[in-house]
Amino acid sequence: MQKVWAFVRGCFLLLRKGSKLYYTWVSALLVLIVIGVVAYANQMYYGLIVTAMRDQVTWGFYISNFTFTVGVAAAAILLVIPAYVYQWKPIKEIAILGELVAVSAIVVCLLFVTVDLGRPDRFWHLIPKIGILNFPQSLLAWDVVVLNTYLVLNFGIAGYMLYSYYYQREPNMKYVFPLLMFSIPAAISIHTVTAFLYNGLAARPFWNASILAPRFLASAFCSGPAGMILMFQIVRKWTNIEIQDKAIFKIAELIAYAMFINLFLLGSELFKEYYSDTIHLAPVKYLYQGLDGHSDLVSFIWTATIFNLTAFFLFLIPQTRENHVTLNIGCVLMFIGVYIEKGMGLVIPGFVPDVLGDFYEYSPTSTEILVSMGIWATGLLVFTLLMRIAVPIMNHDFHVGEDGVKPHIGDQLFLVRKRVVVEEEDIYSP
Amino acid sequence: MSDMEERDEHVFRLTRRKALKGLALGIGAMALPAKDASASVWESFFQKNFRELNRSERQVILARLEKEYSARYKKPVRVKDTPPIEGALYGYGLDLSRCVGCRRCVYGCVTENNQSRDPQIHWIKVLRLEKERGVDLEHSEQYYNPATVPEEGYFYMPVQCQQCENPPCTKVCPVQATWKEIDGIVVVDYNWCIGCRYCMAACPYGARHFNWKAPGLPAGDMNPETHYLGNRPRPVGVVEKCTFCMQRTRERDGKYPACVEVCPVGARKFGNLLDPASEIRNVIENKRVFILKEDLNTQPKFYYFYSV
Ligand code: SF4
Ligand code: SF4
């Protein structure tokens, strides 16, 4: 136990050390977080009326962001599977980073759900025994369970591995391996349950299609890894960590397959709706063509479709996949494409037209946007701090010292442009 | 659009001073009710789900609410918790050939059930439908506003909670804040609901309404005869819905729901489905009735019919 405390203390010591860039970045995130908190306080004070949600469209930007982020969190397993199951070396080193992405993404998810609640003060009603968790009836209760399990699981695995490396031991695979194996179905479950949350509502034909859960997974395997490829490149440029191109190209190839499945499922869905031409076509028409003069989402969804298609071809062709410029363009396009498709493009048409045929066109207010920015900034901050600890540990720059108690901190800077001679004044510590 | 204006106004109001004031108050509210040291705030914070309360706990809570509401609305307010009448299962009939679309039921309901006047919450919506298309919800119009009703070529269909026998709304609630009572009425515990609005997404009839801001209910308009699960004043951030006026219908000297009473053409019928002599049984047995969205298997206890 004492060793755990020493590790935690060492981590806090480490978090305070860093380059000017590190401090600037963290401060910038903190500013965004403060803005978000002020906007949220305003929402608490006036009620959810400061959002654009109304009785017709009861979920909006917050839940859209939530849905998308669950996908990002689930995609962490895409890195875990090859790394541990196939013992594929280049990815193994970065799988731990994938787990940290998952942890940060789940934090974002939970925050988005919380700010969407009308009564966050009654949050404890969800805690089993103290309150009443309507499990297994309510899919939202399932989501609470699987998201928290997934959070604890990834935090536990990554934390234990880093802890072991800190004490310069190999982690005991007897414990880690079963947990890692378990994290694979757990990752699938968080996204499946989130899909079922929508899927189970017969009142909303747009969501009440069995293809929803497979589509969720397929698109998650696009956006999550695409974001991760971008992140890896930033990480290897600005920190002291090596990530091989081979790993990145492999991930890009997997993305291409996932995108193919995603597009195929989308096509199947569109065929069924348009060919059978029932009254359930209305939300699809609203999304892709506009209906009765209501067309707020049309330009968004076509942007997303074009982005996704372009990215698909960029990832499919080996030449563009293994060219850093086109690869990065593809990643950005795909990330944005899926963000639109799995966010607003999924949630809003469920409500437009509403169950009695009323049209209320939703677009988020500034409060919703500021609060959401604050939440994203919180996620990035969590990720930055976790990386601040993980990167030096993996580089053997942060481990227990000679005496076995005091930490040895070899990496004073963290965020710094590589292969530049470090000036003494660059080190900043209050 | 007034919603738009309202939204813009709020965006506009996010000036720095207001925002800081909001911050202070918001944090105060988030930091649990510590700032208001009065014991009742804590009591309501820790209050259990209504169904888990025993008799004496209920009495304490009802007394607390009566005190609170009486002070707020400056008149003696009663909060009952009358249980379902044994052997009762309520059903509702609506005669589409009589309804003239005057919306008296809408406002009668608001008056009886203490809905927010600002912003307006209506538990009943009257849809105007084209006679040529029949019951085609997608082409319905809720915001019709002619000088006189009924209008040529249209008929009207009021929609409110259908008190489904197989309600999708209660199933999805993550905290069991909403449930079906044995007399068939689907209720919400306004002190337990966390405001996630999942039930609103699940309801196929748009029957659930959310308090997007603290309900504006002028003291003079407040109906002091209330039920805990029914028409008592609601707090901000929770869901509410029609309860077949349980504060009236569950009493021994039972009255009809307000909408039945107020309808000028007698289009609304109400009664006990288990009583063979009831008006609603008569309707079901002698008229051709239909229910809305039958294919969803929600099994509404709200029957539409054409008497002529
Ligand atoms: S009409 Fe809606 S709110 Fe009423 S019981 Fe049915 S699903 Fe629930
Ligand atoms: S809004 Fe309230 S009643 Fe509806 S599902 Fe959520 S907690 Fe339950």
Side-chain angles (χ1 to χ4, degrees):
Chain A
M1 205 57 214
Q2 233 165 6
K3 278 176 112 178
V4 178
W5 276 122
F7 173 59
V8 172
R9 236 177 328 194
C11 290
F12 275 105
L13 225 63
L14 181 65
L15 288 182
R16 290 174 46 197
K17 295 198 193 307
S19 59
K20 274 193 189 134
L21 182 65
Y22 170 69
Y23 267 83
T24 317
W25 169 242
V26 169
S27 318
L29 291 177
L30 284 173
V31 169
L32 284 179
I33 293 171
V34 169
I35 294 174
V37 170
V38 172
Y40 182 60
N42 182 65
Q43 177 186 308
M44 291 279 285
Y45 182 63
Y46 289 106
L48 282 163
I49 191 105
V50 297
T51 71
M53 293 183 275
R54 290 296 179 268
D55 280 358
Q56 296 92 330
V57 178
T58 52
W59 287 335
F61 200 53
Y62 296 149
I63 297 298
S64 304
N65 278 288
F66 160 76
T67 312
F68 172 76
T69 318
V70 173
V72 174
I77 59 157
L78 191 63
L79 298 175
V80 175
I81 294 176
Y84 295 97
V85 180
Y86 302 113
Q87 296 287 322
W88 201 57
K89 198 67 178 61
I91 287 187
K92 187 161 182 174
E93 293 150 9
I94 53 180
I96 205 160
L97 303 187
E99 268 153 23
L100 298 183
V101 171
V103 170
S104 321
I106 295 283
V107 169
V108 170
C109 291
L110 295 176
L111 285 174
F112 270 118
V113 178
T114 309
V115 297
D116 189 65
L117 290 184
R119 299 301 302 222
D121 54 324
R122 297 182 185 166
F123 163 82
W124 63 274
H125 293 184
L126 284 163
I127 304 170
K129 295 279 182 286
I130 309 175
I132 302 173
L133 186 70
N134 190 11
F135 188 87
Q137 266 217 322
S138 167
L139 261 302
L140 204 52
W142 278 76
D143 226 8
V144 170
V145 172
V146 293
L147 285 176
N148 283 297
T149 312
Y150 193 65
L151 176 64
V152 171
L153 198 63
N154 280 296
F155 193 76
I157 297 174
Y160 170 68
M161 297 198 16
L162 291 175
Y163 172 79
S164 306
Y165 292 136
Y166 175 79
Y167 282 107
Q168 298 182 307
R169 290 190 312 234
E170 272 302 306
N172 187 341
M173 275 299 160
K174 241 188 20 225
Y175 303 132
V176 177
F177 193 72
L179 284 177
L180 275 172
M181 286 295 107
F182 181 58
S183 75
I184 295 169
I188 295 177
S189 77
I190 60 166
H191 217 29
T192 309
V193 168
T194 308
F196 283 176
L197 196 115
Y198 297 102
N199 196 188
L201 303 180
R204 313 279 168 182
F206 185 71
W207 299 333
N208 195 218
S210 343
I211 215 162
L212 202 72
R215 265 187 74 195
F216 261 56
L217 283 171
S219 64
F221 285 143
C222 303
S223 56
M228 229 108 74
I229 290 181
L230 292 173
M231 186 271 288
F232 286 152
Q233 294 181 68
I234 294 169
V235 165
R236 72 174 177 187
K237 189 159 183 183
W238 293 97
T239 74
N240 246 327
I241 208 161
E242 288 295 338
I243 292 166
Q244 298 177 18
D245 269 348
K246 206 171 140 200
I248 288 181
F249 297 150
K250 192 78 200 165
I251 299 173
E253 195 186 328
L254 294 176
I255 295 179
Y257 304 143
M259 192 32 116
F260 172 74
I261 297 173
N262 187 32
L263 291 170
F264 176 71
L265 294 179
L266 173 66
S268 315
E269 177 76 5
L270 290 179
F271 165 75
K272 173 229 162 194
E273 293 297 2
Y274 273 97
Y275 194 79
S276 48
D277 192 19
T278 67
I279 50 168
H280 296 167
L281 182 60
V284 180
K285 260 198 177 149
Y286 168 68
L287 181 59
Y288 283 93
Q289 294 173 281
L291 195 59
D292 297 345
H294 307 278
S295 55
D296 275 6
L297 289 181
V298 175
S299 51
F300 283 104
I301 199 67
W302 282 106
T303 310
T305 311
I306 292 165
F307 279 15
N308 283 343
L309 274 171
T310 316
F312 170 60
F313 286 112
L314 289 179
F315 286 127
L316 192 65
I317 304 164
Q319 283 83 351
T320 45
R321 180 167 70 222
E322 296 183 2
N323 172 318
H324 279 114
V325 177
T326 42
L327 174 75
N328 287 339
I329 292 175
C331 286
V332 171
L333 291 181
M334 187 161 291
F335 201 76
I336 299 173
V338 175
Y339 179 74
I340 297 172
E341 188 198 309
K342 274 283 115 31
M344 298 270 284
L346 171 93
V347 174
I348 306 307
F351 296 109
V352 187
D354 86 344
V355 284
L356 296 180
D358 191 14
F359 277 93
Y360 170 76
E361 286 211 273
Y362 167 91
S363 62
T365 60
S366 55
T367 301
E368 286 172 277
I369 290 170
L370 293 178
V371 170
S372 303
M373 266 171 30
I375 294 178
W376 281 109
T378 312
L380 284 175
L381 182 67
V382 169
F383 184 64
T384 308
L385 299 183
L386 289 173
M387 288 293 278
R388 176 67 187 104
I389 296 165
V391 170
I393 288 184
M394 286 190 289
N395 283 331
H396 310 289
D397 279 336
F398 176 55
H399 51 77
V400 72
E402 298 285 296
D403 58 357
V405 187
K406 283 222 175 67
H408 163 86
I409 300 180
D411 179 0
Q412 301 280 351
L413 295 169
F414 184 46
L415 287 186
V416 67
R417 214 182 166 81
K418 264 202 289 193
R419 282 180 279 280
V420 174
V421 188
V422 180
E423 308 274 339
E424 193 54 36
E425 70 207 56
D426 226 16
I427 302 173
Y428 178 77
S429 176
Chain B
M1 244 180 104
S2 74
D3 262 348
M4 285 286 199
E5 278 160 27
E6 194 154 38
R7 193 200 303 171
D8 289 343
E9 190 193 333
H10 276 286
V11 174
F12 174 71
R13 274 208 246 154
L14 185 75
T15 58
R16 205 169 55 189
R17 226 182 68 219
K18 278 272 166 56
L20 289 176
K21 181 171 145 219
L23 177 66
L25 286 160
I27 287 176
M30 275 188 282
L32 307 184
K35 56 171 179 137
D36 191 333
S38 85
S40 76
V41 175
W42 282 105
E43 268 167 36
S44 76
F45 179 75
F46 286 116
Q47 184 179 318
K48 290 193 284 185
N49 184 303
F50 192 70
R51 282 192 291 180
E52 293 193 331
L53 299 169
N54 62 32
R55 232 205 153 119
S56 58
E57 286 170 324
R58 283 189 187 187
Q59 290 316 319
V60 173
I61 287 166
L62 297 182
R64 187 189 78 220
L65 289 175
E66 284 180 347
K67 211 173 112 196
E68 186 190 318
Y69 297 150
S70 301
R72 194 188 318 159
Y73 298 102
K74 304 192 178 53
K75 56 178 132 185
V77 176
R78 214 174 128 208
V79 184
K80 303 174 286 197
D81 69 337
T82 322
I85 297 173
E86 231 169 286
L89 182 70
Y90 298 112
Y92 205 109
L94 209 143
D95 187 349
L96 290 179
S97 47
R98 286 203 192 181
C99 175
V100 290
C102 66
R103 292 202 188 99
R104 290 226 176 85
C105 52
V106 175
Y107 295 103
C109 171
V110 169
T111 313
E112 170 66 31
N113 288 300
N114 290 323
Q115 273 104 310
S116 170
R117 315 299 207 267
D118 172 36
Q120 290 195 43
I121 293 181
H122 296 167
W123 288 353
I124 305 176
K125 281 181 205 147
V126 185
L127 308 185
R128 186 183 71 185
L129 298 163
E130 293 165 36
K131 278 193 173 146
E132 270 185 18
R133 288 182 191 268
V135 181
D136 174 0
L137 296 179
E138 221 189 286
H139 292 91
S140 68
E141 175 57 58
Q142 287 175 31
Y143 310 103
Y144 64 91
N145 197 18
T148 54
V149 284
E151 300 151 272
E152 199 54 52
Y154 295 106
F155 69 106
Y156 302 87
M157 182 164 84
V159 182
Q160 61 208 71
C161 174
Q162 316 274 305
Q163 314 293 356
C164 309
E165 246 329 82
N166 182 18
C169 57
T170 60
K171 187 163 72 177
V172 300
C173 177
V175 293
Q176 293 184 1
T178 178
W179 63 88
K180 187 180 71 184
E181 299 254 292
I182 43 173
D183 55 1
I185 299 177
V186 172
V187 294
V188 181
D189 181 351
Y190 313 123
N191 276 38
W192 192 256
C193 167
I194 59 172
C196 68
R197 307 186 296 290
Y198 196 12
C199 55
M200 297 177 81
C203 171
Y205 307 98
R208 293 184 160 252
H209 305 273
F210 188 71
N211 287 284
W212 298 99
K213 78 193 249 201
L217 176 58
D221 295 340
M222 196 260 171
N223 172 12
E225 191 64 22
T226 72
H227 193 291
Y228 180 92
L229 296 170
N231 63 336
R232 71 177 165 109
R234 273 78 68 183
V236 65
V238 302
V239 157
E240 60 179 63
K241 62 179 285 299
C242 157
T243 64
F244 276 172
C245 281
M246 56 159 53
Q247 69 281 4
R248 300 161 64 100
T249 48
R250 269 190 188 175
E251 295 308 306
R252 284 286 148 206
D253 54 342
K255 287 190 250 167
Y256 279 120
C259 48
V260 174
E261 251 176 31
V262 80
C263 179
V265 292
R268 291 171 168 265
K269 312 284 175 206
F270 178 81
N272 183 358
L273 290 168
L274 303 179
D275 172 6
S278 69
E279 213 175 344
I280 186 70
R281 279 286 288 271
N282 180 39
V283 166
I284 293 174
E285 275 152 32
N286 297 311
K287 309 282 177 203
R288 283 157 300 145
V289 300
F290 75 94
I291 50 177
L292 261 190
K293 305 198 182 185
E294 190 178 354
D295 51 330
L296 301 185
N297 193 31
T298 49
Q299 300 167 21
K301 292 192 289 290
F302 201 97
Y303 305 90
Y304 292 95
F305 66 100
Y306 297 92
S307 61
V308 286

